[in-house]
Amino acid sequence: DQQVKQNSPSLSVQEGRISILNCDYTNSMFDYFLWYKKYPAEGPTFLISISSIKDKNEDGRFTVFLNKSAKHLSLHIVPSQPGDSAVYFCAASPAGGTSYGKLTFGQGTILTVHP
Amino acid sequence: DTGVSQNPRHKITKRGQNVTFRCDPISEHNRLYWYRQTLGQGPEFLTYFQNEAQLEKSRLLSDRFSAERPKGSFSTLEIQRTEQGDSAMYLCASSPGGVTGERYTFGSGTRLTVV
């Protein structure tokens, strides 16, 4: 069962415009949500996170929005730059217990930003 | 500290052979994770260690898989009697635990091809 879903395999955006990447989850035990970015031949790198007690977290050009009732989160990149072209993974973690810190990842969305 | 190091970067092996991968985490990180990623999918959790203790194993981890982290430093992941379905990217990550325990630092991975 896919507990974290990224339904858009790819997204193409013009430089300077907004990129919006979406993620849905099904497990109500998830308490902490993260976005990772991955370039080819490299491991994923942490980008931004949000706790379930918040509905928005901003870091420079990157903003993550969380809608707990809809079990949905999104990553906004404004303005998009060609260097943002990468695979973006949404991930979720439960609160507490022995599984604390264990991440469940979505399938990823390939973002291409055209100059 | 140069981050999380994984060796080898690539491994081609014949079906039925045993393989071992090594991960050297960031030295001050007490949590170490192994994930597996196949084409078009996000990383899937395999197992994790808090110091030298293996705290959780995924049901994906069959009896042919074993992981160790002696003395809470580097970790090895061994696959015995490899099968073609084991072909994947094996990712290691470490984290400091605590409130930002989910902010992994990933290695570049070991790509396994079973022929």
Side-chain angles (χ1 to χ4, degrees), chain B residues 81-93:
Chain B
R81 304 181 303 281
T82 52
E83 302 172 355
Q84 287 188 323
D86 298 331
S87 296
M89 175 72 82
Y90 289 83
L91 293 164
C92 175

Side-chain angles (χ1 to χ4, degrees), chain A residues 1-2 32 34 36 38 41-46 49 57 89 93-94 97-108, chain B residues 9 31 33 35 37 40-45 48 55-56 59 91 97-109:
Chain A
D1 62 334
Q2 191 76 29
Y32 194 71
L34 307 93
Y36 280 79
K38 184 181 185 305
E42 296 182 11
T45 56
F46 169 76
S49 62
N57 189 27
F89 291 102
S93 173
T98 57
S99 291
Y100 173 68
K102 168 188 162 187
L103 294 181
T104 301
F105 286 84
Q107 308 96 308
Chain B
R9 291 293 304 273
R31 286 192 169 220
Y33 302 82
Y35 281 77
Q37 185 180 12
Q41 299 296 316
E44 294 178 291
F45 172 79
Y48 90 93
L55 295 187
E56 188 169 342
R59 59 180 180 273
L91 293 164
V99 295
T100 58
E102 298 90 345
R103 297 184 189 181
Y104 298 173
T105 301
F106 278 94
S108 297

Side-chain angles (χ1 to χ4, degrees), chain B:
Chain B
D1 197 333
T2 56
V4 177
S5 176
Q6 290 190 247
N7 289 288
R9 291 293 304 273
H10 303 275
K11 179 70 178 179
I12 300 174
T13 190
K14 291 184 179 179
R15 189 162 46 109
Q17 298 293 305
N18 300 344
V19 294
T20 300
F21 310 141
R22 178 179 169 123
C23 172
D24 288 273
I26 293 174
S27 57
E28 58 265 30
H29 286 181
N30 55 23
R31 286 192 169 220
L32 186 148
Y33 302 82
W34 286 99
Y35 281 77
R36 180 173 68 186
Q37 185 180 12
T38 53
L39 196 63
Q41 299 296 316
E44 294 178 291
F45 172 79
L46 293 179
T47 188
Y48 90 93
F49 294 84
Q50 172 98 9
N51 299 311
E52 66 273 13
Q54 188 173 19
L55 295 187
E56 188 169 342
K57 290 171 60 172
S58 165
R59 59 180 180 273
L60 293 175
L61 218 63
S62 75
D63 291 345
R64 298 184 296 104
F65 288 71
S66 63
E68 293 183 343
R69 192 184 183 195
K71 302 179 183 178
S73 56
F74 72 92
S75 176
T76 58
L77 177 68
E78 181 183 17
I79 309 174
Q80 296 183 326
R81 304 181 303 281
T82 52
E83 302 172 355
Q84 287 188 323
D86 298 331
S87 296
M89 175 72 82
Y90 289 83
L91 293 164
C92 175
S94 68
S95 78
V99 295
T100 58
E102 298 90 345
R103 297 184 189 181
Y104 298 173
T105 301
F106 278 94
S108 297
T110 294
R111 179 166 297 284
L112 173 66
T113 303
V114 181
V115 298

Side-chain angles (χ1 to χ4, degrees), chain A residues 30-59:
Chain A
F30 288 146
D31 182 70
Y32 194 71
F33 303 90
L34 307 93
W35 286 92
Y36 280 79
K37 179 168 73 172
K38 184 181 185 305
Y39 292 118
E42 296 182 11
T45 56
F46 169 76
L47 188 58
I48 192 169
S49 62
I50 188 167
S51 165
S52 61
I53 62 173
K54 293 186 173 183
D55 55 18
K56 176 183 174 181
N57 189 27
E58 194 171 350
D59 183 1

